[in-house]
Amino acid sequence: MIMALSWSGDLAVWSRGVKQVNTWRSIPTADQKAGTRAFEFEQVCELQLLWMRHRYNMKLRVFEDARDPSDLQLSFELLECSMLQAFSGKWHFKPVIQPGSDKSKPVVHTLVQLEQSVLPTGCHPVLKRLPLVGGMLAGTVIGPLQRLMEDILAVVKQMNRSGETVAQVLAKKEAAFRAAHPEAPQLRD
């Protein structure tokens, strides 16, 4: 499902952390193997430190590797950003199967792991290892990450309530978003 959300094109439709997506395009993967695909996009984000809000553009490349169903991966790397000199990471999605009660079907959950590296512009890499600076960096990352997970769970809840697919839920969210934000660019590959 997260793969489908990432490929929806306009993350601003379902993610509160993204204010606008300016460009989005699929790109060829280096090895062109089945089960891999990639895209690049530029988004407008907002950062709040104490009482100050700052908007900035961030251009990312995302690579999806679905060749191994026991470890689906979604990696990302920073291409351009005025606020960050480094931002990269990888999501791992691994199925966890639990036996069902009595003779029911097994229950499948997903273990989600995120490896991430973040370094603001002007910050020396050694500083992120210091407890105070490292703690501040973690604090600025945890809030947006928590909002992202809440936004994903909201889509899942809507799917469970309505019985709709990810594509159907996103189509409705996009229609509502476009009605509220007619000035937002239309993103299609």
Side-chain angles (χ1 to χ4, degrees):
M1 187 191 92
I2 293 180
M3 305 294 199
L5 289 173
S6 67
W7 275 88
S8 68
D10 196 343
L11 281 72
V13 166
W14 62 269
S15 175
R16 292 173 292 160
V18 178
K19 300 305 175 190
Q20 180 176 317
V21 176
N22 294 331
T23 61
W24 188 99
R25 67 183 183 98
S26 64
I27 57 173
T29 58
D31 55 12
Q32 294 295 315
K33 292 182 181 174
T36 63
R37 56 186 182 169
F39 63 93
E40 292 179 353
F41 67 99
E42 181 184 6
Q43 64 186 10
V44 178
C45 300
E46 187 173 81
L47 176 68
Q48 181 173 346
L49 293 171
L50 301 174
W51 64 91
M52 298 179 296
R53 291 179 185 260
H54 180 71
R55 285 194 177 205
Y56 60 96
N57 288 9
M58 174 188 284
K59 187 173 183 182
L60 295 168
R61 178 177 296 133
V62 178
F63 179 75
E64 176 186 310
D65 187 346
R67 292 175 289 184
D68 179 1
S70 67
D71 184 14
L72 301 176
Q73 298 177 15
L74 192 67
S75 57
F76 55 92
E77 66 178 326
L78 182 68
L79 299 176
E80 295 174 24
C81 184
S82 60
M83 294 287 291
L84 300 170
Q85 65 184 8
F87 181 66
S88 62
K90 184 182 289 188
W91 292 85
H92 295 269
F93 307 96
K94 300 176 183 183
V96 177
I97 301 171
Q98 295 179 327
S101 59
D102 297 329
K103 293 182 180 181
S104 64
K105 293 181 183 179
V107 178
V108 180
H109 301 278
T110 303
L111 172 65
V112 180
Q113 296 174 310
L114 171 63
E115 305 163 13
Q116 182 170 275
S117 177
V118 179
L119 189 62
T121 298
C123 185
H124 193 277
V126 172
L127 293 177
K128 71 179 182 180
R129 290 184 170 68
L130 298 176
L132 181 61
V133 177
M136 286 176 24
L137 288 175
T140 60
V141 171
I142 289 171
L145 186 57
Q146 184 175 358
R147 275 193 309 278
L148 174 66
M149 296 310 296
E150 290 168 355
D151 294 341
I152 291 169
L153 286 174
V155 171
V156 170
K157 286 179 183 176
Q158 187 173 348
M159 288 170 55
N160 289 340
R161 269 194 317 270
S162 66
E164 297 172 318
T165 66
V166 175
Q168 292 168 324
V169 169
L170 289 177
K172 286 182 177 179
K173 284 188 168 291
E174 182 164 7
F177 178 83
R178 297 284 169 221
H181 305 282
E183 75 288 353
Q186 293 285 334
L187 300 172
R188 290 292 173 254
D189 213 8

mmCIF file of all heavy atoms in Angstrom, residues 38-83:
data_model
loop_
_atom_site.group_PDB
_atom_site.id
_atom_site.type_symbol
_atom_site.label_atom_id
_atom_site.label_comp_id
_atom_site.label_asym_id
_atom_site.label_seq_id
_atom_site.Cartn_x
_atom_site.Cartn_y
_atom_site.Cartn_z
ATOM 1 N N ALA A 38 11.484 3.604 -10.480
ATOM 2 C CA ALA A 38 12.009 4.784 -9.798
ATOM 3 C C ALA A 38 11.280 6.030 -10.285
ATOM 4 O O ALA A 38 10.706 6.054 -11.371
ATOM 5 C CB ALA A 38 13.507 4.918 -10.064
ATOM 6 N N PHE A 39 11.310 7.056 -9.455
ATOM 7 C CA PHE A 39 10.757 8.347 -9.841
ATOM 8 C C PHE A 39 11.487 9.457 -9.099
ATOM 9 O O PHE A 39 12.173 9.232 -8.112
ATOM 10 C CB PHE A 39 9.240 8.421 -9.602
ATOM 11 C CG PHE A 39 8.811 8.295 -8.157
ATOM 12 C CD1 PHE A 39 8.627 9.417 -7.366
ATOM 13 C CD2 PHE A 39 8.556 7.055 -7.608
ATOM 14 C CE1 PHE A 39 8.217 9.308 -6.051
ATOM 15 C CE2 PHE A 39 8.136 6.927 -6.297
ATOM 16 C CZ PHE A 39 7.965 8.060 -5.507
ATOM 17 N N GLU A 40 11.366 10.657 -9.639
ATOM 18 C CA GLU A 40 11.914 11.867 -9.027
ATOM 19 C C GLU A 40 10.781 12.861 -8.869
ATOM 20 O O GLU A 40 9.865 12.905 -9.696
ATOM 21 C CB GLU A 40 13.006 12.488 -9.906
ATOM 22 C CG GLU A 40 14.248 11.670 -10.015
ATOM 23 C CD GLU A 40 15.300 12.308 -10.921
ATOM 24 O OE1 GLU A 40 15.016 13.340 -11.575
ATOM 25 O OE2 GLU A 40 16.405 11.762 -10.984
ATOM 26 N N PHE A 41 10.841 13.652 -7.810
ATOM 27 C CA PHE A 41 9.835 14.689 -7.628
ATOM 28 C C PHE A 41 10.407 15.838 -6.817
ATOM 29 O O PHE A 41 11.402 15.690 -6.117
ATOM 30 C CB PHE A 41 8.562 14.131 -6.971
ATOM 31 C CG PHE A 41 8.746 13.674 -5.553
ATOM 32 C CD1 PHE A 41 8.378 14.490 -4.490
ATOM 33 C CD2 PHE A 41 9.262 12.418 -5.277
ATOM 34 C CE1 PHE A 41 8.530 14.062 -3.187
ATOM 35 C CE2 PHE A 41 9.414 11.980 -3.980
ATOM 36 C CZ PHE A 41 9.042 12.809 -2.925
ATOM 37 N N GLU A 42 9.780 16.992 -6.996
ATOM 38 C CA GLU A 42 10.134 18.174 -6.215
ATOM 39 C C GLU A 42 8.896 18.572 -5.428
ATOM 40 O O GLU A 42 7.810 18.699 -5.979
ATOM 41 C CB GLU A 42 10.566 19.334 -7.101
ATOM 42 C CG GLU A 42 10.954 20.558 -6.294
ATOM 43 C CD GLU A 42 11.289 21.755 -7.160
ATOM 44 O OE1 GLU A 42 11.123 21.677 -8.384
ATOM 45 O OE2 GLU A 42 11.704 22.764 -6.584
ATOM 46 N N GLN A 43 9.077 18.738 -4.117
ATOM 47 C CA GLN A 43 7.958 19.080 -3.254
ATOM 48 C C GLN A 43 8.280 20.314 -2.418
ATOM 49 O O GLN A 43 9.432 20.629 -2.194
ATOM 50 C CB GLN A 43 7.598 17.918 -2.345
ATOM 51 C CG GLN A 43 8.706 17.544 -1.372
ATOM 52 C CD GLN A 43 8.386 16.287 -0.581
ATOM 53 O OE1 GLN A 43 7.431 15.585 -0.866
ATOM 54 N NE2 GLN A 43 9.192 15.998 0.423
ATOM 55 N N VAL A 44 7.239 20.989 -1.997
ATOM 56 C CA VAL A 44 7.374 22.114 -1.076
ATOM 57 C C VAL A 44 7.001 21.589 0.297
ATOM 58 O O VAL A 44 5.913 21.036 0.489
ATOM 59 C CB VAL A 44 6.444 23.285 -1.473
ATOM 60 C CG1 VAL A 44 6.566 24.420 -0.475
ATOM 61 C CG2 VAL A 44 6.763 23.756 -2.883
ATOM 62 N N CYS A 45 7.915 21.730 1.243
ATOM 63 C CA CYS A 45 7.698 21.265 2.612
ATOM 64 C C CYS A 45 7.689 22.464 3.557
ATOM 65 O O CYS A 45 8.099 23.560 3.187
ATOM 66 C CB CYS A 45 8.811 20.314 3.038
ATOM 67 S SG CYS A 45 8.937 18.858 2.020
ATOM 68 N N GLU A 46 7.241 22.202 4.761
ATOM 69 C CA GLU A 46 7.234 23.251 5.772
ATOM 70 C C GLU A 46 7.878 22.704 7.034
ATOM 71 O O GLU A 46 7.578 21.596 7.468
ATOM 72 C CB GLU A 46 5.796 23.691 6.060
ATOM 73 C CG GLU A 46 5.713 24.885 6.978
ATOM 74 C CD GLU A 46 4.299 25.398 7.105
ATOM 75 O OE1 GLU A 46 3.541 24.813 7.889
ATOM 76 O OE2 GLU A 46 3.960 26.360 6.391
ATOM 77 N N LEU A 47 8.777 23.482 7.597
ATOM 78 C CA LEU A 47 9.475 23.120 8.822
ATOM 79 C C LEU A 47 9.100 24.124 9.894
ATOM 80 O O LEU A 47 9.093 25.334 9.643
ATOM 81 C CB LEU A 47 10.994 23.142 8.590
ATOM 82 C CG LEU A 47 11.875 22.889 9.797
ATOM 83 C CD1 LEU A 47 11.715 21.444 10.267
ATOM 84 C CD2 LEU A 47 13.317 23.160 9.454
ATOM 85 N N GLN A 48 8.761 23.617 11.072
ATOM 86 C CA GLN A 48 8.455 24.515 12.188
ATOM 87 C C GLN A 48 9.469 24.283 13.291
ATOM 88 O O GLN A 48 9.625 23.173 13.784
ATOM 89 C CB GLN A 48 7.041 24.278 12.719
ATOM 90 C CG GLN A 48 6.713 25.227 13.851
ATOM 91 C CD GLN A 48 5.261 25.134 14.284
ATOM 92 O OE1 GLN A 48 4.434 24.563 13.596
ATOM 93 N NE2 GLN A 48 4.966 25.711 15.418
ATOM 94 N N LEU A 49 10.193 25.336 13.641
ATOM 95 C CA LEU A 49 11.111 25.325 14.771
ATOM 96 C C LEU A 49 10.614 26.364 15.755
ATOM 97 O O LEU A 49 10.566 27.550 15.430
ATOM 98 C CB LEU A 49 12.544 25.642 14.337
ATOM 99 C CG LEU A 49 13.205 24.585 13.451
ATOM 100 C CD1 LEU A 49 14.509 25.097 12.904
ATOM 101 C CD2 LEU A 49 13.414 23.299 14.227
ATOM 102 N N LEU A 50 10.223 25.901 16.918
ATOM 103 C CA LEU A 50 9.608 26.754 17.936
ATOM 104 C C LEU A 50 8.385 27.423 17.326
ATOM 105 O O LEU A 50 7.458 26.762 16.921
ATOM 106 C CB LEU A 50 10.626 27.741 18.491
ATOM 107 C CG LEU A 50 11.879 27.103 19.135
ATOM 108 C CD1 LEU A 50 12.879 28.172 19.517
ATOM 109 C CD2 LEU A 50 11.512 26.240 20.324
ATOM 110 N N TRP A 51 8.384 28.730 17.200
ATOM 111 C CA TRP A 51 7.224 29.453 16.667
ATOM 112 C C TRP A 51 7.392 29.830 15.194
ATOM 113 O O TRP A 51 6.486 30.376 14.595
ATOM 114 C CB TRP A 51 6.976 30.727 17.492
ATOM 115 C CG TRP A 51 8.108 31.699 17.385
ATOM 116 C CD1 TRP A 51 8.228 32.708 16.473
ATOM 117 C CD2 TRP A 51 9.294 31.742 18.165
ATOM 118 N NE1 TRP A 51 9.414 33.374 16.635
ATOM 119 C CE2 TRP A 51 10.096 32.796 17.690
ATOM 120 C CE3 TRP A 51 9.782 30.977 19.231
ATOM 121 C CZ2 TRP A 51 11.328 33.112 18.229
ATOM 122 C CZ3 TRP A 51 11.017 31.306 19.773
ATOM 123 C CH2 TRP A 51 11.762 32.354 19.269
ATOM 124 N N MET A 52 8.549 29.557 14.625
ATOM 125 C CA MET A 52 8.829 29.969 13.243
ATOM 126 C C MET A 52 8.524 28.842 12.259
ATOM 127 O O MET A 52 8.863 27.691 12.500
ATOM 128 C CB MET A 52 10.295 30.373 13.113
ATOM 129 C CG MET A 52 10.681 31.559 13.974
ATOM 130 S SD MET A 52 12.424 31.980 13.800
ATOM 131 C CE MET A 52 13.216 30.521 14.431
ATOM 132 N N ARG A 53 7.879 29.197 11.151
ATOM 133 C CA ARG A 53 7.622 28.253 10.060
ATOM 134 C C ARG A 53 8.430 28.687 8.846
ATOM 135 O O ARG A 53 8.492 29.871 8.535
ATOM 136 C CB ARG A 53 6.139 28.235 9.700
ATOM 137 C CG ARG A 53 5.264 27.639 10.762
ATOM 138 C CD ARG A 53 3.803 27.677 10.328
ATOM 139 N NE ARG A 53 2.952 27.212 11.378
ATOM 140 C CZ ARG A 53 2.448 25.978 11.431
ATOM 141 N NH1 ARG A 53 2.700 25.134 10.473
ATOM 142 N NH2 ARG A 53 1.676 25.631 12.428
ATOM 143 N N HIS A 54 9.028 27.713 8.190
ATOM 144 C CA HIS A 54 9.827 28.005 7.004
ATOM 145 C C HIS A 54 9.473 26.999 5.912
ATOM 146 O O HIS A 54 9.486 25.793 6.140
ATOM 147 C CB HIS A 54 11.323 27.916 7.335
ATOM 148 C CG HIS A 54 12.202 28.202 6.166
ATOM 149 N ND1 HIS A 54 12.343 29.461 5.640
ATOM 150 C CD2 HIS A 54 12.957 27.380 5.413
ATOM 151 C CE1 HIS A 54 13.169 29.397 4.597
ATOM 152 N NE2 HIS A 54 13.550 28.155 4.450
ATOM 153 N N ARG A 55 9.135 27.493 4.732
ATOM 154 C CA ARG A 55 8.855 26.623 3.577
ATOM 155 C C ARG A 55 10.121 26.500 2.731
ATOM 156 O O ARG A 55 10.858 27.463 2.564
ATOM 157 C CB ARG A 55 7.722 27.188 2.740
ATOM 158 C CG ARG A 55 6.393 26.966 3.416
ATOM 159 C CD ARG A 55 5.255 27.201 2.469
ATOM 160 N NE ARG A 55 4.013 26.890 3.165
ATOM 161 C CZ ARG A 55 2.910 26.539 2.565
ATOM 162 N NH1 ARG A 55 2.867 26.470 1.260
ATOM 163 N NH2 ARG A 55 1.842 26.262 3.256
ATOM 164 N N TYR A 56 10.312 25.328 2.167
ATOM 165 C CA TYR A 56 11.482 25.079 1.329
ATOM 166 C C TYR A 56 11.160 24.001 0.306
ATOM 167 O O TYR A 56 10.261 23.194 0.486
ATOM 168 C CB TYR A 56 12.690 24.670 2.179
ATOM 169 C CG TYR A 56 12.472 23.413 2.977
ATOM 170 C CD1 TYR A 56 12.895 22.183 2.496
ATOM 171 C CD2 TYR A 56 11.830 23.450 4.211
ATOM 172 C CE1 TYR A 56 12.679 21.028 3.216
ATOM 173 C CE2 TYR A 56 11.614 22.295 4.943
ATOM 174 C CZ TYR A 56 12.054 21.091 4.434
ATOM 175 O OH TYR A 56 11.840 19.946 5.155
ATOM 176 N N ASN A 57 11.902 24.014 -0.793
ATOM 177 C CA ASN A 57 11.747 23.009 -1.851
ATOM 178 C C ASN A 57 12.747 21.885 -1.614
ATOM 179 O O ASN A 57 13.876 22.126 -1.176
ATOM 180 C CB ASN A 57 11.997 23.619 -3.228
ATOM 181 C CG ASN A 57 10.869 24.529 -3.654
ATOM 182 O OD1 ASN A 57 9.977 24.850 -2.880
ATOM 183 N ND2 ASN A 57 10.911 24.956 -4.898
ATOM 184 N N MET A 58 12.307 20.681 -1.937
ATOM 185 C CA MET A 58 13.161 19.506 -1.793
ATOM 186 C C MET A 58 12.936 18.617 -3.007
ATOM 187 O O MET A 58 11.799 18.304 -3.354
ATOM 188 C CB MET A 58 12.776 18.749 -0.520
ATOM 189 C CG MET A 58 13.487 17.434 -0.346
ATOM 190 S SD MET A 58 12.813 16.473 1.049
ATOM 191 C CE MET A 58 13.517 17.355 2.414
ATOM 192 N N LYS A 59 14.020 18.254 -3.677
ATOM 193 C CA LYS A 59 13.931 17.354 -4.833
ATOM 194 C C LYS A 59 14.537 16.009 -4.424
ATOM 195 O O LYS A 59 15.656 15.953 -3.929
ATOM 196 C CB LYS A 59 14.671 17.939 -6.033
ATOM 197 C CG LYS A 59 14.466 17.147 -7.295
ATOM 198 C CD LYS A 59 15.064 17.854 -8.496
ATOM 199 C CE LYS A 59 14.785 17.070 -9.763
ATOM 200 N NZ LYS A 59 15.392 17.716 -10.934
ATOM 201 N N LEU A 60 13.750 14.931 -4.631
ATOM 202 C CA LEU A 60 14.156 13.592 -4.213
ATOM 203 C C LEU A 60 14.077 12.603 -5.369
ATOM 204 O O LEU A 60 13.281 12.770 -6.293
ATOM 205 C CB LEU A 60 13.227 13.071 -3.104
ATOM 206 C CG LEU A 60 13.244 13.802 -1.782
ATOM 207 C CD1 LEU A 60 12.075 13.362 -0.925
ATOM 208 C CD2 LEU A 60 14.546 13.565 -1.060
ATOM 209 N N ARG A 61 14.887 11.553 -5.267
ATOM 210 C CA ARG A 61 14.788 10.391 -6.159
ATOM 211 C C ARG A 61 14.379 9.215 -5.283
ATOM 212 O O ARG A 61 14.952 8.998 -4.214
ATOM 213 C CB ARG A 61 16.123 10.090 -6.826
ATOM 214 C CG ARG A 61 16.057 8.849 -7.728
ATOM 215 C CD ARG A 61 17.365 8.590 -8.463
ATOM 216 N NE ARG A 61 17.617 9.713 -9.358
ATOM 217 C CZ ARG A 61 18.805 10.329 -9.447
ATOM 218 N NH1 ARG A 61 19.823 9.962 -8.704
ATOM 219 N NH2 ARG A 61 18.966 11.331 -10.284
ATOM 220 N N VAL A 62 13.389 8.459 -5.740
ATOM 221 C CA VAL A 62 12.864 7.323 -4.987
ATOM 222 C C VAL A 62 13.001 6.066 -5.845
ATOM 223 O O VAL A 62 12.712 6.091 -7.041
ATOM 224 C CB VAL A 62 11.388 7.558 -4.596
ATOM 225 C CG1 VAL A 62 10.824 6.355 -3.861
ATOM 226 C CG2 VAL A 62 11.255 8.819 -3.745
ATOM 227 N N PHE A 63 13.452 4.981 -5.221
ATOM 228 C CA PHE A 63 13.654 3.713 -5.911
ATOM 229 C C PHE A 63 12.861 2.629 -5.184
ATOM 230 O O PHE A 63 12.999 2.461 -3.974
ATOM 231 C CB PHE A 63 15.147 3.354 -5.938
ATOM 232 C CG PHE A 63 15.455 2.049 -6.603
ATOM 233 C CD1 PHE A 63 15.414 1.918 -7.975
ATOM 234 C CD2 PHE A 63 15.785 0.938 -5.849
ATOM 235 C CE1 PHE A 63 15.690 0.714 -8.586
ATOM 236 C CE2 PHE A 63 16.068 -0.279 -6.447
ATOM 237 C CZ PHE A 63 16.025 -0.389 -7.824
ATOM 238 N N GLU A 64 12.021 1.933 -5.904
ATOM 239 C CA GLU A 64 11.229 0.841 -5.342
ATOM 240 C C GLU A 64 11.808 -0.486 -5.802
ATOM 241 O O GLU A 64 12.071 -0.684 -6.995
ATOM 242 C CB GLU A 64 9.784 0.957 -5.824
ATOM 243 C CG GLU A 64 8.903 -0.183 -5.376
ATOM 244 C CD GLU A 64 7.523 -0.114 -5.986
ATOM 245 O OE1 GLU A 64 6.891 0.956 -5.927
ATOM 246 O OE2 GLU A 64 7.077 -1.135 -6.536
ATOM 247 N N ASP A 65 12.007 -1.402 -4.859
ATOM 248 C CA ASP A 65 12.492 -2.736 -5.180
ATOM 249 C C ASP A 65 11.516 -3.754 -4.592
ATOM 250 O O ASP A 65 11.485 -3.977 -3.385
ATOM 251 C CB ASP A 65 13.893 -2.950 -4.601
ATOM 252 C CG ASP A 65 14.520 -4.255 -5.047
ATOM 253 O OD1 ASP A 65 13.798 -5.125 -5.585
ATOM 254 O OD2 ASP A 65 15.741 -4.418 -4.857
ATOM 255 N N ALA A 66 10.704 -4.345 -5.460
ATOM 256 C CA ALA A 66 9.705 -5.321 -5.031
ATOM 257 C C ALA A 66 10.061 -6.717 -5.527
ATOM 258 O O ALA A 66 9.197 -7.579 -5.657
ATOM 259 C CB ALA A 66 8.324 -4.905 -5.540
ATOM 260 N N ARG A 67 11.338 -6.964 -5.808
ATOM 261 C CA ARG A 67 11.750 -8.269 -6.322
ATOM 262 C C ARG A 67 11.662 -9.364 -5.263
ATOM 263 O O ARG A 67 11.428 -10.512 -5.583
ATOM 264 C CB ARG A 67 13.174 -8.203 -6.880
ATOM 265 C CG ARG A 67 13.271 -7.348 -8.142
ATOM 266 C CD ARG A 67 14.679 -7.204 -8.607
ATOM 267 N NE ARG A 67 15.398 -6.343 -7.663
ATOM 268 C CZ ARG A 67 16.639 -5.944 -7.810
ATOM 269 N NH1 ARG A 67 17.331 -6.325 -8.859
ATOM 270 N NH2 ARG A 67 17.213 -5.161 -6.923
ATOM 271 N N ASP A 68 11.859 -9.010 -3.999
ATOM 272 C CA ASP A 68 11.798 -9.989 -2.915
ATOM 273 C C ASP A 68 10.582 -9.687 -2.052
ATOM 274 O O ASP A 68 10.598 -8.745 -1.262
ATOM 275 C CB ASP A 68 13.079 -9.915 -2.075
ATOM 276 C CG ASP A 68 13.088 -10.889 -0.913
ATOM 277 O OD1 ASP A 68 12.111 -11.648 -0.746
ATOM 278 O OD2 ASP A 68 14.080 -10.878 -0.165
ATOM 279 N N PRO A 69 9.497 -10.464 -2.170
ATOM 280 C CA PRO A 69 8.279 -10.167 -1.413
ATOM 281 C C PRO A 69 8.463 -10.246 0.100
ATOM 282 O O PRO A 69 7.656 -9.722 0.852
ATOM 283 C CB PRO A 69 7.272 -11.204 -1.895
ATOM 284 C CG PRO A 69 7.972 -12.088 -2.847
ATOM 285 C CD PRO A 69 9.358 -11.603 -3.056
ATOM 286 N N SER A 70 9.550 -10.887 0.561
ATOM 287 C CA SER A 70 9.778 -10.965 2.001
ATOM 288 C C SER A 70 10.497 -9.723 2.528
ATOM 289 O O SER A 70 10.673 -9.569 3.735
ATOM 290 C CB SER A 70 10.585 -12.220 2.352
ATOM 291 O OG SER A 70 11.896 -12.124 1.836
ATOM 292 N N ASP A 71 10.909 -8.831 1.633
ATOM 293 C CA ASP A 71 11.555 -7.578 2.046
ATOM 294 C C ASP A 71 11.384 -6.538 0.934
ATOM 295 O O ASP A 71 12.294 -6.276 0.164
ATOM 296 C CB ASP A 71 13.041 -7.788 2.343
ATOM 297 C CG ASP A 71 13.729 -6.538 2.878
ATOM 298 O OD1 ASP A 71 13.027 -5.573 3.279
ATOM 299 O OD2 ASP A 71 14.972 -6.499 2.901
ATOM 300 N N LEU A 72 10.193 -5.951 0.858
ATOM 301 C CA LEU A 72 9.961 -4.871 -0.105
ATOM 302 C C LEU A 72 10.723 -3.644 0.383
ATOM 303 O O LEU A 72 10.771 -3.373 1.587
ATOM 304 C CB LEU A 72 8.477 -4.565 -0.209
ATOM 305 C CG LEU A 72 7.576 -5.725 -0.639
ATOM 306 C CD1 LEU A 72 6.115 -5.298 -0.608
ATOM 307 C CD2 LEU A 72 7.955 -6.220 -2.015
ATOM 308 N N GLN A 73 11.327 -2.899 -0.549
ATOM 309 C CA GLN A 73 12.143 -1.756 -0.148
ATOM 310 C C GLN A 73 11.774 -0.519 -0.951
ATOM 311 O O GLN A 73 11.498 -0.600 -2.145
ATOM 312 C CB GLN A 73 13.629 -2.071 -0.352
ATOM 313 C CG GLN A 73 14.096 -3.227 0.481
ATOM 314 C CD GLN A 73 15.540 -3.587 0.214
ATOM 315 O OE1 GLN A 73 16.292 -2.815 -0.391
ATOM 316 N NE2 GLN A 73 15.951 -4.761 0.658
ATOM 317 N N LEU A 74 11.808 0.611 -0.268
ATOM 318 C CA LEU A 74 11.578 1.909 -0.894
ATOM 319 C C LEU A 74 12.685 2.823 -0.372
ATOM 320 O O LEU A 74 12.696 3.183 0.801
ATOM 321 C CB LEU A 74 10.194 2.439 -0.494
ATOM 322 C CG LEU A 74 9.651 3.632 -1.250
ATOM 323 C CD1 LEU A 74 9.357 3.251 -2.699
ATOM 324 C CD2 LEU A 74 8.376 4.124 -0.599
ATOM 325 N N SER A 75 13.646 3.137 -1.243
ATOM 326 C CA SER A 75 14.762 3.974 -0.807
ATOM 327 C C SER A 75 14.637 5.360 -1.425
ATOM 328 O O SER A 75 13.997 5.538 -2.460
ATOM 329 C CB SER A 75 16.106 3.338 -1.182
ATOM 330 O OG SER A 75 16.183 3.105 -2.563
ATOM 331 N N PHE A 76 15.230 6.345 -0.770
ATOM 332 C CA PHE A 76 15.154 7.718 -1.258
ATOM 333 C C PHE A 76 16.487 8.410 -1.042
ATOM 334 O O PHE A 76 17.241 8.071 -0.129
ATOM 335 C CB PHE A 76 14.017 8.488 -0.571
ATOM 336 C CG PHE A 76 14.096 8.486 0.934
ATOM 337 C CD1 PHE A 76 14.745 9.501 1.619
ATOM 338 C CD2 PHE A 76 13.518 7.460 1.659
ATOM 339 C CE1 PHE A 76 14.818 9.495 3.001
ATOM 340 C CE2 PHE A 76 13.582 7.448 3.039
ATOM 341 C CZ PHE A 76 14.230 8.472 3.715
ATOM 342 N N GLU A 77 16.767 9.367 -1.937
ATOM 343 C CA GLU A 77 17.991 10.159 -1.808
ATOM 344 C C GLU A 77 17.703 11.595 -2.219
ATOM 345 O O GLU A 77 16.903 11.857 -3.116
ATOM 346 C CB GLU A 77 19.123 9.573 -2.649
ATOM 347 C CG GLU A 77 18.893 9.640 -4.141
ATOM 348 C CD GLU A 77 20.053 9.085 -4.956
ATOM 349 O OE1 GLU A 77 21.213 9.239 -4.533
ATOM 350 O OE2 GLU A 77 19.786 8.508 -6.017
ATOM 351 N N LEU A 78 18.356 12.498 -1.533
ATOM 352 C CA LEU A 78 18.193 13.920 -1.793
ATOM 353 C C LEU A 78 18.952 14.312 -3.054
ATOM 354 O O LEU A 78 20.112 13.947 -3.228
ATOM 355 C CB LEU A 78 18.730 14.719 -0.593
ATOM 356 C CG LEU A 78 18.610 16.226 -0.659
ATOM 357 C CD1 LEU A 78 17.149 16.645 -0.576
ATOM 358 C CD2 LEU A 78 19.391 16.858 0.484
ATOM 359 N N LEU A 79 18.293 15.060 -3.928
ATOM 360 C CA LEU A 79 18.952 15.603 -5.116
ATOM 361 C C LEU A 79 19.264 17.084 -4.927
ATOM 362 O O LEU A 79 20.339 17.539 -5.287
ATOM 363 C CB LEU A 79 18.076 15.390 -6.357
ATOM 364 C CG LEU A 79 17.770 13.935 -6.709
ATOM 365 C CD1 LEU A 79 16.818 13.862 -7.888
ATOM 366 C CD2 LEU A 79 19.048 13.167 -6.993
ATOM 367 N N GLU A 80 18.296 17.833 -4.366
ATOM 368 C CA GLU A 80 18.487 19.273 -4.134
ATOM 369 C C GLU A 80 17.639 19.711 -2.949
ATOM 370 O O GLU A 80 16.496 19.273 -2.808
ATOM 371 C CB GLU A 80 18.034 20.099 -5.339
ATOM 372 C CG GLU A 80 18.814 19.911 -6.604
ATOM 373 C CD GLU A 80 18.191 20.674 -7.766
ATOM 374 O OE1 GLU A 80 17.470 21.662 -7.541
ATOM 375 O OE2 GLU A 80 18.406 20.254 -8.905
ATOM 376 N N CYS A 81 18.184 20.600 -2.129
ATOM 377 C CA CYS A 81 17.417 21.192 -1.034
ATOM 378 C C CYS A 81 18.250 22.290 -0.385
ATOM 379 O O CYS A 81 19.434 22.095 -0.111
ATOM 380 C CB CYS A 81 17.048 20.143 0.006
ATOM 381 S SG CYS A 81 16.014 20.774 1.330
ATOM 382 N N SER A 82 17.625 23.423 -0.126
ATOM 383 C CA SER A 82 18.353 24.514 0.521
ATOM 384 C C SER A 82 18.492 24.290 2.022
ATOM 385 O O SER A 82 19.417 24.797 2.642
ATOM 386 C CB SER A 82 17.629 25.842 0.269
ATOM 387 O OG SER A 82 16.311 25.788 0.800
ATOM 388 N N MET A 83 17.602 23.504 2.629
ATOM 389 C CA MET A 83 17.615 23.297 4.074
ATOM 390 C C MET A 83 18.474 22.113 4.520
ATOM 391 O O MET A 83 18.893 22.054 5.660
ATOM 392 C CB MET A 83 16.184 23.061 4.586
ATOM 393 C CG MET A 83 15.278 24.243 4.456
ATOM 394 S SD MET A 83 15.654 25.541 5.626
ATOM 395 C CE MET A 83 15.172 24.762 7.142
#
